[in-house]
Amino acid sequence: MRITLLLLLSLFTFGTCTQNPLFLNETYTTGFVNIQKSSDIFYWHFESRSNPATDPIVFWLSGGPGCSSELALFLENGPFIVNDNQTLSSNPYSWNEKANVVFVDQPVGTGFSKASTEELSTNEDQVAQNFYNFLLGFLNQNQQYIGRPLFITGESYAGHFIPAIGYELIKKNNPHINLQGLAIGNGLVNPKVQYPAYGQYAYENKLISSLEYYAFIKPVLKTCSYLIGRNASLTKISNTCNLAYQTIVGFGEVPKFNVYDIRKKCEGSLCYNMTNLDNFLARDDVKSILGVSGRTWQECSNEVHKALSRDYFVSYADKVADILENGIKVLVYSGDQDFICNYLGGLEWVNEMEWTKQEEFKNAKFEEYIINGKSAGQIKSAGILQFFRVYQAGHQVPMDQPEVALEMINKFISN
């Protein structure tokens, strides 16, 4: 599609980078891209702290589905940390150290984005098409990035989003979109393979007893995996899989442990106290500066989540394989203290993925990943695929091991 036609997909003028003392004089742009009649996608773009005119562009997608990327922006790999007094501190390990980074509230209806009920995405084909249209609109508003090396990154349920979007971008083959790589952090990619790892991980980390594992949880998860593979009804799959899952984490409203970091207690709706961020993004002055006055930010949207309920147990490993076969490199990284998308399941779905170098990857040996003279994890690779187990990190690797995460992404985007 010619870049001049991008105007049809956006009603907004070119983004103009700005600075503001409230945001510690980082150079940024915010904006919306219209997707359908009643839906749009909000983004917050930060220029690289190094060489914005030449550094690559990295898009970040949070999971959920329906969780805002501002969660990552302020708690993980963005330029800011919210203090108790509602001021901001600078994050020295922000991913815009050597990249232009865009935090995207997608699918439509997530975070500051909006969507009518009938325009919510119900499958990954819609998610991918909407993101492609978003990308066209973003490039129309920020034309300096046309043809720039581009990477799609994210975590958790973005293990569904990223393969679908990457595959869509390859199909579209737009010369203005220079896709170079995908990075999936603690992602849900292949539930059929990953669900049985709940039992194994819980047993190995002493979250359950030997009797619980062998007598009940392991066989139930085997049935869960079988039902997913047979494409059984959503109700049947959910009831079976959730029975084993809840036996591990507990049947109460609050899990017995933080499912995103087994070293911690679960506190708050997402097992973390996000009061500072909630209050900050509810401020009228903040919303005015961001251009989102009149909108209400939420951590995660139940409506977006429910609309994608039939997508949950679908595997997107085949899409990752297709992406690799098309020469686009993939990094899969996983914090080893995470239960919800644990590294055992992550490694297993990568091992099971059928592609040209499957056997080479399965037989590859792990090597220690050394930073400042210390081992930060283990990594193995075959061709353009890497799997990185990050030591002492939970679901949000950039939050728990920020220095490691920054070096990891900088190496990945710089070849």
Side-chain angles (χ1 to χ4, degrees), residues 34 60 69 135 187 220 226 250 319 378 382:
N34 287 342
W60 174 271
S69 286
L135 200 48
V220 172
Y226 171 79
K319 294 287 192 295
Q378 293 180 315

Side-chain angles (χ1 to χ4, degrees), residues 26-41:
E26 291 279 348
T27 305
Y28 71 92
T29 308
T30 61
F32 294 94
V33 174
N34 287 342
I35 302 300
Q36 297 184 60
K37 183 179 179 181
S38 302
S39 58
D40 58 29
I41 290 178

Side-chain angles (χ1 to χ4, degrees), residues 198-199 208 212-222 244 247-248:
Y198 280 138
I208 54 175
E212 287 175 310
Y213 178 52
Y214 286 107
F216 183 74
I217 293 171
K218 185 176 181 179
V220 172
L221 286 173
K222 184 177 180 180
T247 301
I248 298 171

Side-chain angles (χ1 to χ4, degrees), residues 8-12 32-42 107-109 113-123 125-134 295:
L8 296 175
L9 295 168
S10 174
L11 297 181
F12 297 87
F32 294 94
V33 174
N34 287 342
I35 302 300
Q36 297 184 60
K37 183 179 179 181
S38 302
S39 58
D40 58 29
I41 290 178
F42 171 78
V108 293
S113 302
K114 70 176 182 180
S116 59
T117 302
E118 59 272 16
E119 292 183 3
L120 291 171
S121 298
T122 58
N123 58 62
D125 288 341
Q126 294 172 1
V127 169
Q129 182 61 53
N130 285 347
F131 190 88
Y132 176 70
N133 289 338
F134 160 76
R295 301 197 180 203

